[in-house]
């Protein structure tokens, strides 16, 4: 989950698209979570009412295209290989902290993301912690750029708690701090 309110770059759709295109979901699923997960591309999963596979037809692993998106959006490589650009009067770097519970498959996934995103000039700093500490610090305050969290929706396809605006604050599960009245209405 990305918290767009804590990092200016995450507010840019081009940045989020590039990160998505550079996430090798197939590799993560086959190497880290064999037969325990499926690649997903949005909040509505296959098998849940409302899922439309055609919406994600172009959402595949394309790091070269992701680089072009960032180039076109004026994100240039700095001397250290991390992309940056001026946003107003501030130089913003594509460097994000990723909160990750110290659970082996989540740590491995975070490491894979770090490697994938580095290919396009994005620096990911892993911030591991035990689950109870993360609940008290990052999750409760929503103080993170991104958080990696596992969700099991197989037996309960209701995504209200993950995306409705009323769930943005603790103890709600809208970890992206997403707010959209139209989406709220559809979820209701």
């Amino acid at each position: 989950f990305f918290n767009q309110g804590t990092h200016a770059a995450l507010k840019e759709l081009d940045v989020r698209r590039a990160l998505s295109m550079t996430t090798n979901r197939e590799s993560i699923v086959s190497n880290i979570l064999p037969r325990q997960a499926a690649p997903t591309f949005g909040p509505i999963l296959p098998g849940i009412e409302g899922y439309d596979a055609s919406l994600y037809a172009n959402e595949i692993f394309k790091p070269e295209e992701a680089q072009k998106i960032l180039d076109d959006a004026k994100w240039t490589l700095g001397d250290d290989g991390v992309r940056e650009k001026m946003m107003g009067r501030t130089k913003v770097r594509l460097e994000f902290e990723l909160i990750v519970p110290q659970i082996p498959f989540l740590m491995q996934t975070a490491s894979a993301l770090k490697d994938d995103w580095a290919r396009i000039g994005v620096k990911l700093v892993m911030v591991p912690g035990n689950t109870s500490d993360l609940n008290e610090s990052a999750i409760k305050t929503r103080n993170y750029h991104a958080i990696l969290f596992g969700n099991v929706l197989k037996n309960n396809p209701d995504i209200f708690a993950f995306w409705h605006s009323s769930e943005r604050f603790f103890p709600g599960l809208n970890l992206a701090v997403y707010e959209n009245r139209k989406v709220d209405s559809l979820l209701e």
Side-chain angles (χ1 to χ4, degrees), residues 56-73:
Y56 309 112
N58 293 321
E59 295 289 326
I60 58 174
F61 183 61
K62 298 185 215 174
E64 296 80 15
E65 191 171 325
Q67 286 183 26
K68 183 176 180 343
I69 288 170
L70 293 176
D71 290 341
D72 291 348

Side-chain angles (χ1 to χ4, degrees), residues 3-4 7 15 45 57 65 69 77 114 131 145 150 153 158:
N3 184 346
Q4 296 177 41
H7 197 294
V15 169
L45 305 178
E65 191 171 325
I69 288 170
L77 285 175
K114 181 178 181 174
T131 305
H145 298 152
L153 299 175
D158 185 1

Side-chain angles (χ1 to χ4, degrees), residues 13-41:
L13 178 59
D14 287 334
V15 169
R16 297 189 313 272
R17 282 183 56 223
L19 293 174
S20 179
M21 294 172 100
T22 309
T23 299
N24 192 341
R25 291 166 177 81
E26 294 291 339
S27 175
I28 291 169
V29 168
S30 64
N31 295 323
I32 299 171
L33 301 160
R35 295 179 301 281
Q36 298 173 12
T40 61
F41 299 94

Side-chain angles (χ1 to χ4, degrees), residues 7-173:
H7 197 294
L10 291 173
K11 293 179 183 179
E12 288 195 11
L13 178 59
D14 287 334
V15 169
R16 297 189 313 272
R17 282 183 56 223
L19 293 174
S20 179
M21 294 172 100
T22 309
T23 299
N24 192 341
R25 291 166 177 81
E26 294 291 339
S27 175
I28 291 169
V29 168
S30 64
N31 295 323
I32 299 171
L33 301 160
R35 295 179 301 281
Q36 298 173 12
T40 61
F41 299 94
I44 300 176
L45 305 178
I48 294 178
E49 184 179 346
Y51 177 77
D52 182 355
S54 69
L55 293 174
Y56 309 112
N58 293 321
E59 295 289 326
I60 58 174
F61 183 61
K62 298 185 215 174
E64 296 80 15
E65 191 171 325
Q67 286 183 26
K68 183 176 180 343
I69 288 170
L70 293 176
D71 290 341
D72 291 348
K74 309 292 188 238
W75 288 96
T76 59
L77 285 175
D79 294 337
D80 63 353
V82 177
R83 289 183 182 262
E84 57 191 23
K85 83 172 183 180
M86 292 301 293
M87 297 180 84
R89 295 180 184 204
T90 306
K91 185 183 285 189
V92 177
R93 291 170 44 91
L94 290 185
E95 180 174 342
F96 309 108
E97 289 184 351
L98 176 67
I99 304 294
V100 57
Q102 289 176 314
I103 298 170
F105 78 91
L106 291 176
M107 293 294 294
Q108 291 170 347
T109 300
S111 182
L113 289 172
K114 181 178 181 174
D115 293 344
D116 286 348
W117 294 358
R119 299 169 98 176
I120 61 167
V122 176
K123 182 176 180 179
L124 188 63
V125 178
M126 293 171 40
V127 182
N130 71 49
T131 305
S132 61
D133 288 345
L134 294 178
N135 278 332
E136 283 302 310
S137 58
I139 293 175
K140 194 172 198 176
T141 63
R142 301 301 201 249
N143 187 21
Y144 48 81
H145 298 152
I147 188 166
L148 184 62
F149 219 74
N151 292 324
V152 178
L153 299 175
K154 190 178 193 179
N155 297 327
N156 181 9
D158 185 1
I159 60 172
F160 181 96
F162 298 106
W163 299 106
H164 195 276
S165 298
S166 67
E167 300 290 317
R168 300 188 318 276
F169 305 109
F170 188 81
L173 296 176

